[in-house]
Amino acid sequence: MEEVDGNTVIARALKQQGVDFVFGIVGYPVIELSMAMQMADIHYIGMRNEQAACYAAQAMGYLTGKPAACLVVSGPGLLHTFGGLANAQINCWPVLVIGGSAPQDHEGIGGFQECNQVELARPYCKYAARPPTIPLIPMHVEKAVRLTKNGRPGAAYLDFPANILSGRVEESSVSPYYGPTPPPLIYPNPSDIQTAVDLITQASRPLVIVGKGAAYARAEATVRDLIDSTNLPFLATPMGKGVVPDASPKCVQPARSTALQKADVVLLLGARLNWILHFGRPPRYSPDAKVIQIDLSAEELNTSVKSAVAIQSDLRVAVEQIVAGLKKRNFTYSSQNEWWQVLERKCQDNRRTVQAMAADESVPLNYYTVFHNLYQHLPDNCIIVSEGANTMDIGRTMLFNNQPRNRLDAGTFGTMGVGPGFAIAAALYCRHHEPTKRVICVEGDSAFGFSGMEIETMVRYKLPIIIVVVNNSGIYTGMEPEAFKNLRDSTELEDIAKITPPSCLSSATRYDNMMNLFGKPGFFVNTIPELKLAIKSALKIEDSPTIINVIISTTADRKPQQFHWLSESKL
């Protein structure tokens, strides 16, 4: 009888489940497994850090709607993925982590990198298991992949001891390789849809909030129909941007605080009332606001506040039915209503403030000037990856998205270090699905430091990612170059760690010179003309990444906010 080893069974099972990409770092005991994956016609992307590999895999899961895999070695290799596992689980993105582990006959006696991996992974994922035999591997792979997609998407972990990977069995003994099954389609309660339609038509100050769940659900056509046919004002959460174009005249993002504070009916489409939306509570919302909540996950309904109507449903189905109900009543929210007038005035006021800041080209530059000019010179509908503190937050308001799933950022968990991994996944996605689209990775200098060596991965796989480092020489704020030099020159070596401000990084670090390591060009920018030239030059590079290092004021900040960005607990 013909025999097959565990590595081959895993690779075949993954391919049967529709897993097309694996990101990872190889070593004992998974080197042969990575090769078996390539032999099974799976793309293997070798990364430089396990966290970044997991970030890339989950971003690919979000962009495609099916999980990619992350392959890591035993012990520390798996432990390094936990930041990524937790991020995927909290972001609700599908990903499958596959870890090698110590041989079973070495367990309990101090085996190499011996670690209780399944139990350690369990808090960070929906499903964690170790297939006990080679013949049962396809069953566990199918279950893990299915659970990453069904219900609230998330993470799964499968553990493979070295002896299972290298062991051999008769091929006829292996359980069947099932193909992937689509997630079940959940329909809403008709009476809930009717209640939602009643609330919308009776609202004086309605507001639609479009969340990341709407983007993941591929609900853009339906949500756009809702907004276009009703003339309702809308906001988007950071990764809900583009489901309805940011450029839509019905987008009231510049009046966000006013819209949230004064709305009397809020239609929540695939967004959670967590810290990003200030928990749905006063003072950010009216105490009398009625929330219509649509979410795939029943556990998410009525969290933080009691919804006026909570609808568990596939988002597209629920919105289609709401649109049908509103059209049946010939409902359109008039632009002449006082609510629209309030929102438009606030939008205009805030735009004037931002435009004034964006027009200031004095050196050192500020965030608004950099983002305004960056956006003006980018091709339409780039995928924009962004992370950092002010870099990410201000970028949300200045770098528009007019297509869904075209923004990837730190997300619900606020995780730093995700940018390069996300960008690698996005560039690979574009290569296979939208080859004319470009990926722009906008990084704060602090955020870039977490995963900056993934630039080598980008070079190796010829990914034309443009990395823009918005460099203020610090975390939140840095020090002026002269002040930084004087501090270092005047401080004794034994005292330097006591004196250097905790948020301070090296002054005006030349991240662009990293491209010299690979014989590729980078760009150092101090002025707007230099920025425009750098963007133009970078867009001509189609077979490798590049870095545009933009030096801004060390004290550059966002415009004054009506509220602190994070609603503080009153407990």
Side-chain angles (χ1 to χ4, degrees), residues 33-50:
L33 177 54
S34 66
M35 296 176 181
M37 290 171 170
Q38 290 180 316
M39 291 178 66
D41 198 31
I42 294 172
H43 301 277
Y44 177 82
I45 310 299
M47 305 285 285
R48 300 303 302 267
N49 178 280
E50 289 92 354

Side-chain angles (χ1 to χ4, degrees), residues 5 17 28 48 53 114 132 147 269 333 340 354 409-411 432 451 464 485 499 533 538 554 560:
D5 66 3
Q17 284 300 310
Y28 176 82
R48 300 303 302 267
E114 181 185 351
L147 292 183
L269 303 180
Y333 190 73
W340 257 123
V354 170
D409 69 19
H432 290 267
S451 304
K485 180 180 184 301
I499 301 298
L533 180 60
T554 58

Side-chain angles (χ1 to χ4, degrees), residues 13 38 61 117 119 161 169 177 372 381 386 500 518 548 561:
Q38 290 180 316
Q117 296 178 187
E119 291 307 312
V169 297
Y177 296 97
H372 170 74
N381 300 315
S386 185
T500 304
F518 314 103
I548 301 175
Q561 300 291 303

